[in-house]
Amino acid sequence: MAKFSSHQGEAAPGKPLGRLSYLFSLTDSAFSLRSTLLIFGGGGQRAPGDDLVSGLVGWIDFRHDLSMQESVIHAMTDAMQTRGPDAKGTWISQNAALGHQALIASEVPAEQPLQERIGAETVAVAVAGEIYNLPELAREIEGAGGVLKTGACPEVLLQAYLLWGDRCVDRVNGAFGFAIWDGRTRKLLLGRDRLGVKPLYYYEYPGGILFASVPKGIMANPRFEARLDLHMLPVALQPRLALPGETPLTGLREVQPGHVLTYTESGLTRRRYWQLTSEPHRDSFDDTARHVRDLLDDIVGRQLISAGPLSSMLSGGVDSTSIAALAVRRLRQDGADRTLDTYCVQFESDLAHFVATELRPDIDAPYAAAAAEYMGSRHHTLTATVQDLLDVIPATRKARDLPGWGQFDASMYLLFRQIRNNSTVALTGEAADEVFGGYPYFFKKDVFEHGHFPWLGDGPRLSRHLSPELTALIKPEEDELARYSQLMSDVPRLPGEDAENARMREIFYLGLSGPLAVILDRKERMSASLGLDVRVPFCDHRLIEYVWNVPWAMKSRGGVKGLLKAAMADVLPPSTASRKKSAYPHVQNPSYDRTLVREASWIVNDEASPLAGIFDTARMNGLIQQISANAIRSELPGGSNQAALLIQLVELHNWVDEYGVSLG
């Protein structure tokens, strides 16, 4: 059984935490840093009726009367219950229906779906997630003549839509997915935050569309049939290859990050409301570091807003320590009697089996404990066994509805489950590696010379072991190159940029696409399924827009993530500032590896397996034997545990089996 240890850290004597600086306004934003203390000075205030974790569903059908489908709407809504166990709401009309489940942060829950009657028609909204500039947006609405009664998130979004139409999303800073039905124009609007922190899926069929925060909401509708698109097998076996919006299920799509979709009787249209823009960077290194710091101060302050206890993930690395340290400072500055709880995961078998690799050179727990003591958080360490991981993997599959990541999902699920015992809101340092350049591949010359995804290297691919028939149909290697070429064509270029920075811009763009989505999906699905709202400050679009144009030499000045370290120098303990990059931990245990090898062998060789026949049996057996003999470690990027190659195979099988997914 997973074990936890806890201790209360104290700020080290003689190490001042510094002072917050709100000395400038963001000229390209609807809000200023000067106003932050006025808006958020209470340290825990929220708009009345706000909710935290939530899930939405909906159904538009122009050919059938949905008022006769109440039981289906309730089934779709009930599928979101784990994401929002406290409140349920539905709204049904002849051609449109919305459902919402919420975890409530206040005594008076916000009405969702929220409706406003305008003449003979209704405008209805359902939103899942958080809007971080809610006070400024509310003031802007009132200044434009709108009327707000509560100032809660769904009301603000609805009034913003009534004033500015689909352009309302341009004004929102947050992590969200929303649906707005406008009965006046018989139009549906679906919107998603800029980085895709919160999910929103949809399925279009002749005359109608289904949508939900996660696939189970759509799967609860009999109009959807879960079928694996065979052309998406390379993505199912390596999710980092997915282009924005893709899923392995036929017809199921995600609203792409930074997009709004409009659905009418004429069909579906898409608008990209946000994208990166490349332009020259004029600031000095010192000015750049100060600007990064001021942005992070503001971002963390906004995302700390919660009525209850606050927590943060803490690995002892630069990213999570930076976020946690800023949170501790803010809580102290606000004068509130509140302590930040920090959490770290380790494995019982680390002492016996941990082997340092390029990507994971050391164990997090000692660094996390040192960082917590330095900043003064109340720290907790989870010690998980292999059996703990295996016990919760079925729950992680239900959290995703799509093929998962085995032990990587499981350890995070265990950690979030423990955090949820104390808090409903937690912060994380995820995405800093993609924004500031923290992975080993950013510093390797061969990345510049080879036209492929840098994190995959030249190691083996499961998709290269498909049956000859499927290989001829899918052409996995050509598919991978096509995906790479597609992303390369999307890179925002800077005319006249030198070759090194132009190439680094490409590498950063690749990282902000598939790999970041994988990281954000895992964190969001595992946390939301437990009723925990995990916020990602490094995904604030203002920070990403600014750092995107900082030259590589400045980002890496002084070593890995040198710019971030410079920006956070006064709050990072020496052990963190000098630590090498270490990725999210995975268990290194022969017992877990043997479990993967055993399951993979059965899947490939037993005719009873639902995946029987899709692989070249002889070649897959050869790969499994190599893995079992520990024979391919040197070929894997970052020296990753070779048995981890089999996770996607095992999880694909279990997903197909448990969800009744047909192949074809």
Side-chain angles (χ1 to χ4, degrees):
M1 182 176 181
K3 296 174 289 186
F4 264 84
S5 59
S6 305
H7 72 273
Q8 172 70 52
E10 299 294 340
K15 296 177 181 176
L17 291 176
R19 63 182 183 88
L20 289 174
S21 174
Y22 298 97
L23 302 178
F24 64 94
S25 297
L26 294 176
T27 57
D28 59 346
S29 169
F31 43 84
S32 69
L33 293 180
R34 286 195 189 96
S35 64
T36 303
L37 287 176
L38 296 175
I39 298 169
F40 296 121
Q45 300 300 311
R46 298 179 58 86
D50 275 2
D51 56 61
L52 293 170
V53 181
S54 50
L56 66 85
V57 298
W59 187 4
I60 308 298
D61 195 311
F62 292 113
R63 301 179 183 178
H64 300 89
D65 186 352
L66 295 186
S67 63
M68 307 298 291
Q69 300 292 330
E70 187 172 355
S71 62
V72 178
I73 297 302
H74 280 284
M76 295 172 67
T77 307
D78 290 342
M80 298 293 106
Q81 187 173 14
T82 57
R83 295 179 63 90
D86 295 341
K88 172 186 174 182
T90 59
W91 172 79
I92 306 173
S93 68
Q94 183 174 351
N95 298 117
L98 296 174
H100 190 268
Q101 291 275 172
L103 170 71
I104 302 302
S106 60
E107 294 181 1
V108 182
E111 179 187 350
Q112 288 216 59
L114 181 65
Q115 311 113 51
E116 180 158 328
R117 194 77 173 175
I118 302 176
E121 300 297 340
T122 298
V123 179
V125 61
V127 56
E130 288 281 301
I131 295 178
Y132 300 130
N133 66 328
L134 201 62
E136 298 94 332
L137 192 54
R139 287 198 298 271
E140 194 174 358
I141 288 168
E142 291 175 334
V147 177
L148 297 173
K149 298 177 181 178
T150 68
C153 177
E155 183 192 30
V156 169
L157 185 60
L158 177 56
Q159 294 303 318
Y161 169 76
L162 293 177
L163 285 169
W164 302 301
D166 73 347
R167 296 286 172 178
C168 67
V169 69
D170 301 59
R171 303 168 186 259
V172 177
N173 179 334
F176 55 83
F178 69 78
I180 299 175
W181 167 255
D182 192 336
R184 301 168 302 174
T185 54
R186 293 170 59 81
K187 176 177 69 177
L188 170 73
L189 188 69
L190 298 177
R192 193 175 179 204
D193 65 78
R194 292 165 178 82
L195 272 296
V197 176
K198 292 296 180 182
L200 186 55
Y201 293 83
Y202 67 96
Y203 169 72
E204 186 182 8
Y205 64 90
I209 189 171
L210 308 173
F211 50 93
S213 292
V214 287
K216 60 170 58 73
I218 294 172
M219 292 175 173
N221 191 302
R223 280 196 169 271
F224 180 77
E225 178 189 354
R227 288 189 296 117
L228 175 65
D229 183 348
L230 293 179
H231 287 89
M232 292 297 292
L233 271 172
V235 170
L237 295 169
Q238 178 45 268
R240 291 186 182 94
L241 290 176
L243 296 174
E246 290 185 321
T247 83
L249 286 170
T250 301
L252 184 70
R253 301 277 297 175
E254 278 194 274
V255 177
Q256 294 185 39
H259 281 69
V260 288
L261 273 56
T262 301
Y263 184 74
T264 67
E265 291 180 83
S266 300
L268 194 65
T269 59
R270 300 169 178 83
R271 178 176 74 86
R272 186 171 186 172
Y273 70 89
W274 181 82
Q275 59 186 328
L276 290 167
T277 302
S278 297
E279 54 190 31
H281 185 75
R282 308 296 187 190
D283 295 345
S284 68
F285 180 82
D286 289 343
D287 287 343
T288 299
R290 278 193 293 270
H291 192 66
V292 167
R293 175 56 172 273
D294 283 326
L295 283 168
L296 284 171
D297 277 332
D298 179 62
I299 293 162
V300 171
R302 291 173 181 275
Q303 297 192 16
L304 266 181
I305 303 308
S306 171
L310 292 161
S311 298
S312 185
M313 296 181 70
L314 181 65
S315 69
V318 173
D319 312 339
S320 62
T321 304
S322 295
I323 298 304
L326 291 180
V328 169
R329 286 163 55 99
R330 172 53 66 89
L331 292 177
R332 287 179 180 158
Q333 189 179 53
D334 289 344
D337 184 21
R338 306 174 80 194
T339 300
L340 185 75
D341 286 272
T342 51
Y343 293 82
C344 176
V345 64
Q346 65 180 1
F347 301 105
E348 188 179 59
S349 58
D350 281 344
L351 287 177
H353 298 296
F354 178 81
V355 176
T357 65
E358 180 183 43
L359 197 56
R360 296 176 179 87
D362 47 43
I363 296 171
D364 286 344
Y367 292 92
E373 183 176 4
Y374 185 90
M375 73 178 72
S377 66
R378 183 167 52 206
H379 191 59
H380 315 263
T381 302
L382 164 68
T383 302
T385 67
V386 167
Q387 191 59 50
D388 293 330
L389 300 174
L390 296 176
D391 286 346
V392 300
I393 284 177
T396 69
R397 295 186 190 119
K398 292 180 181 178
R400 279 187 178 272
D401 303 328
L402 294 171
W405 284 80
Q407 58 143 312
F408 296 100
D409 285 350
S411 60
M412 191 166 283
Y413 185 93
L414 288 168
L415 191 62
F416 288 157
R417 188 171 67 182
Q418 183 64 25
I419 294 174
R420 183 62 181 85
N421 289 335
N422 177 64
S423 306
T424 53
V425 172
L427 302 181
T428 176
E430 226 74 18
D433 288 312
E434 287 76 15
V435 176
F436 289 92
Y439 293 118
Y441 65 73
F442 282 102
F443 297 86
K444 294 187 174 182
K445 189 175 183 295
D446 61 357
V447 168
F448 295 86
E449 298 172 347
H450 296 290
H452 57 56
F453 292 100
W455 51 85
L456 292 180
D458 296 320
R461 314 277 204 273
L462 292 176
S463 61
R464 294 177 182 173
H465 295 74
L466 296 173
S467 70
E469 296 79 12
L470 276 177
T471 298
L473 174 68
I474 298 170
K475 300 180 175 59
E477 294 193 41
E478 293 181 20
D479 179 77
E480 183 177 319
L481 288 173
R483 293 172 179 280
Y484 177 85
S485 297
Q486 175 63 56
L487 289 174
M488 286 295 94
S489 68
D490 293 340
V491 176
R493 308 288 177 178
L494 179 62
E497 190 169 42
D498 64 82
E500 180 185 26
N501 277 297
R503 181 55 176 158
M504 291 308 299
R505 196 178 291 276
E506 294 175 345
I507 300 302
F508 273 98
Y509 192 81
L510 289 171
L512 289 168
S513 301
L516 180 58
V518 166
I519 289 171
L520 295 179
D521 285 355
R522 177 175 68 222
K523 193 168 300 297
E524 203 282 338
R525 304 308 184 272
M526 297 306 109
S527 59
S529 71
L530 292 161
L532 177 68
D533 184 18
V534 174
R535 299 172 183 174
V536 193
F538 283 111
C539 281
D540 188 288
H541 69 280
R542 299 167 297 151
L543 177 70
I544 290 179
E545 288 170 353
Y546 183 73
V547 178
W548 168 254
N549 285 309
V550 175
W552 172 240
M554 193 176 287
K555 287 176 184 170
S556 60
R557 180 173 169 178
V560 178
K561 287 183 285 195
L563 174 60
L564 180 59
K565 290 179 180 179
M568 304 302 301
D570 63 313
V571 299
L572 296 178
S575 59
T576 293
S578 61
R579 187 186 179 192
K580 292 182 178 179
K581 163 65 188 175
S582 188
Y584 181 81
H586 72 83
V587 67
Q588 297 184 39
N589 189 310
S591 174
Y592 180 74
D593 294 351
R594 286 193 295 270
T595 298
L596 286 173
V597 168
R598 184 171 59 250
E599 289 195 48
S601 296
W602 175 81
I603 291 166
V604 171
N605 291 285
D606 196 315
E607 292 183 0
S609 164
L611 298 187
I614 75 167
F615 290 101
D616 183 317
T617 304
R619 295 189 66 223
M620 272 300 302
N621 281 329
L623 177 64
I624 293 170
Q625 288 168 10
Q626 280 187 292
I627 290 171
S628 184
N630 202 34
I632 60 172
R633 181 182 298 276
S634 62
E635 298 180 33
L636 300 178
S640 298
N641 185 304
Q642 58 204 270
L645 273 173
L646 301 176
I647 289 176
Q648 262 67 54
L649 169 62
V650 171
E651 290 304 306
L652 176 63
H653 162 267
N654 288 321
W655 170 68
V656 167
D657 183 49
E658 292 174 13
Y659 279 82
V661 178
S662 61
L663 308 184

